Amino acid sequence: MPIQKLRILFLVKAVIVPTTFAALFLWAVIVTHGGGPLVTGKAQITNSYINTAFSALTGLNAIIGLFSSMAVNMPDFGRFSKNGFKGYHQFFALPVIGTFGALTPIFVTSAHEVVWGNFEWYMPAVINDFDSRAAKFFVGFSFMLATIGKQIAAGTYHFSNDVTGLCPKCINIFRATLMISIFCVICTPWNIIKNAAGLLAFLSGYSCVMGPVAGVMVSDFYLIKNRKLDVHELYKDHGIYHYTYGINWRALAAFGAGFVPLIPGVSKNISPGLYVGGSWMIYTFAWLFGFTISVVTYYVICQYISPLGDALVDEAVLPSQTDDVTTDDDSYEAKDGLQAYTREMHVV
């Protein structure tokens, strides 16, 4: 689906899904008279090796992991913006959305205990217990729409862009989407979300990878290249961004520096009885640790050990902002306010 048509889907989602969440939140608050035992009761930590402080860090890390994919995928949508400031409002919006999105399931789970006698956090099971068929339909439809939008925004579209860049002759956006769809079924995601502990463990482990990735991207674009790219060279087979045999080993080294120290924590999270010393502590703030270490490592390598050379340009080279420009090699097409850049690619 073209990006301009996806905008319609997200506009519909932006109206329906927040409204449903607000309705569920108000229903839960009214039913529980302010939150119920899950919200107002005393918390008890049952973990044998973690204390309150590290438990709070683990919870924060899980929430960061929830949005970590969007932190690295946002440019795939942001590049279609009409101006460069459209993404900055998310700096304020995401914390609000993240907090509201986390509070609503907690209150709904507490309300389920008050109404039906047991804590049920799995939303399809909660919807199934509703007495009203209309409520089942509208809430179920809203969550289905939210899931589809989330997967497009955080997964399929970005994966498709990356894979088509690796092999544009054989793979297009549609084929790449089919590939990731099949993979999603093979990896049985329902086993991940069937219980709260499994989901939190997955999100914490997910942030171990996404933190270093975001760190390398931020360090490369903002600190090393000073936001200056030659966009034309990005589409050349052996351009200035070809690096060493097509691989930027500096990025891989920085990623490894941020990820490898977290492996013991991941192992202990999977098998709590495993002894890893005190290394599990940094796992409780895995995203922040991986991000910081990768930023610093990549900067040191590129600045003092192995500079990028020709990949550093004095001035940014961007596509023309004129609506209709035609040259021998480049063509620019504007449609629905979105500018598509098409360039002939010669495979050597």
Side-chain angles (χ1 to χ4, degrees):
M1 183 181 292
I3 190 68
Q4 59 267 30
K5 292 184 179 180
L6 281 176
R7 181 174 57 183
I8 299 174
L9 171 67
F10 287 111
L11 284 174
V12 174
K13 175 178 174 286
V15 174
I16 295 177
V17 175
T19 303
T20 303
F21 261 68
L24 284 172
F25 181 77
L26 290 175
W27 167 78
V29 171
I30 294 172
V31 166
T32 59
H33 302 287
L38 190 62
V39 177
T40 60
K42 184 179 180 181
Q44 294 181 349
I45 298 176
T46 58
N47 195 296
S48 60
Y49 65 90
I50 198 170
N51 58 27
T52 304
F54 285 110
S55 178
L57 284 174
T58 302
L60 177 62
N61 188 65
I63 295 299
I64 294 175
L66 183 63
F67 291 97
S68 60
S69 60
M70 289 301 297
V72 299
N73 294 337
M74 212 175 291
D76 286 319
F77 283 102
R79 64 194 178 96
F80 292 103
S81 176
K82 294 181 181 179
N83 64 67
F85 297 98
K86 292 294 186 181
Y88 286 95
H89 70 279
Q90 298 185 51
F91 178 81
F92 302 100
L94 281 178
V96 175
I97 296 173
T99 302
F100 180 62
L103 281 177
T104 299
I106 294 173
F107 274 78
V108 170
T109 300
S110 186
H112 191 279
E113 193 276 336
V114 172
V115 178
W116 290 286
N118 66 301
F119 292 108
E120 178 60 68
W121 78 277
Y122 188 48
M123 200 59 209
V126 176
I127 295 174
N128 186 60
D129 288 333
F130 288 159
D131 295 327
S132 170
R133 295 179 63 184
K136 288 182 179 180
F137 172 78
F138 287 112
V139 176
F141 174 78
S142 178
F143 272 79
M144 181 182 69
L145 180 62
T147 302
I148 293 174
K150 173 67 167 58
Q151 294 310 311
I152 293 175
T156 56
Y157 186 78
H158 317 286
F159 173 85
S160 302
N161 272 338
D162 295 338
V163 173
T164 52
L166 290 175
C167 190
K169 284 188 173 181
C170 302
I171 304 175
N172 56 23
I173 295 291
F174 177 73
R175 292 173 183 172
T177 302
L178 288 180
M179 290 169 56
I180 191 62
S181 299
I182 294 173
F183 173 78
C184 287
V185 175
I186 294 175
C187 71
T188 63
W190 49 87
N191 288 325
I192 298 174
I193 65 172
K194 67 180 180 180
N195 61 77
L199 179 61
L200 292 177
F202 169 77
L203 290 175
S204 296
Y206 190 60
S207 63
C208 293
V209 176
M210 301 310 296
V213 170
V216 171
M217 293 175 62
V218 169
S219 185
D220 180 73
F221 185 68
Y222 288 98
L223 302 182
I224 301 300
K225 294 189 174 75
N226 293 318
R227 299 189 299 174
K228 297 175 182 178
L229 292 173
D230 187 335
V231 175
H232 294 198
E233 291 290 328
L234 291 173
Y235 293 89
K236 288 185 178 180
D237 189 20
H238 287 79
I240 62 176
Y241 302 115
H242 186 72
Y243 300 116
T244 306
Y245 300 106
I247 298 174
N248 184 1
W249 65 267
R250 306 164 189 82
L252 293 178
F255 172 83
F259 174 71
V260 171
L262 299 171
I263 294 178
V266 176
S267 302
K268 189 171 183 63
N269 192 44
I270 297 173
S271 179
L274 183 66
Y275 178 76
V276 296
S279 59
W280 62 268
M281 296 180 183
I282 60 174
Y283 176 75
T284 59
F285 52 97
W287 192 94
L288 294 174
F289 175 86
F291 177 85
T292 303
I293 296 298
S294 296
V295 166
V296 174
T297 303
Y298 189 81
Y299 180 82
V300 170
I301 293 175
C302 295
Q303 196 73 13
Y304 302 106
I305 299 176
S306 179
L308 294 179
D310 294 338
L312 301 178
V313 296
D314 295 328
E315 296 293 336
V317 180
L318 304 174
S320 171
Q321 297 303 308
T322 306
D323 286 345
D324 294 304
V325 177
T326 302
T327 63
D328 292 336
D329 297 322
D330 307 323
S331 65
Y332 301 88
E333 301 171 354
K335 186 176 182 180
D336 294 334
L338 299 173
Q339 188 163 344
Y341 174 59
T342 307
R343 183 179 180 83
E344 291 185 359
M345 299 176 62
H346 303 281
V347 178
V348 179

